[in-house]
Amino acid sequence: MENEEENRLRKITTRFKPGEYSLIDGRFKKTRFRKMSEYIRCVLLKKPITINYRDKSMDEMLEELSLLRRELNAIGNNLNQAVRQINAAHGSADNRLWLSLMSIIGTKVDPAIAQIKDRMQKFSELWSQKSKPDEASSAQ
């Protein structure tokens, strides 16, 4: 089978105004193509072009979820360290150590978890709002 790249012997040079080029470049960047020549060839030959669409609000939500995951990991690490220190007391853990751990959970962990739950609820409401128009259009 012959390689298509070997058959491309003809070259066309076209000049664009800055505005025209930025329009073409903007459209090119939204596609899956790695090279501008591939994109232009598909446009000129009227081949199908796949455009990648990114929902900016979804990107913001995913970034926030990533931060929440890191926060939860940090909380879990802190709890593990506290429990290890209590267990390192060789079974003679004083009630004061357990009370201090419960105090830490009450003052730091519970508010952080409440904040995370609140953010997750807001994301859930936003996602459900986005799915409602789709459901309405598919029902028609």
Side-chain angles (χ1 to χ4, degrees), residues 79-94 97-98 101:
L79 280 175
N80 283 339
Q81 289 173 2
V83 171
R84 281 185 187 149
Q85 288 177 356
I86 290 173
N87 287 334
H90 302 295
S92 61
D94 192 352
L97 292 173
W98 286 107
L101 176 62

Side-chain angles (χ1 to χ4, degrees), residues 13-77:
T13 303
T14 306
R15 297 181 186 272
F16 297 100
K17 294 178 183 176
E20 294 170 334
Y21 182 80
S22 66
L23 178 68
I24 293 169
D25 189 50
R27 290 179 181 171
F28 161 69
K29 288 180 180 176
K30 293 178 183 177
T31 67
R32 61 170 179 79
F33 296 107
R34 293 182 183 198
K35 296 181 181 179
M36 176 77 81
S37 61
E38 291 177 301
Y39 169 70
I40 291 174
R41 205 171 8 262
C42 282
V43 169
L44 291 174
L45 298 175
K46 297 182 181 179
K47 292 183 178 179
I49 297 172
T50 303
I51 296 174
N52 299 326
Y53 173 75
R54 292 191 60 106
D55 186 355
K56 207 169 203 176
S57 65
M58 185 64 75
D59 288 345
E60 291 169 1
M61 274 193 271
L62 290 173
E63 184 178 333
E64 183 73 22
L65 286 173
S66 176
L67 292 173
L68 291 175
R69 183 182 55 187
R70 279 192 222 127
E71 188 174 339
L72 278 174
N73 285 338
I75 290 169
N77 288 338

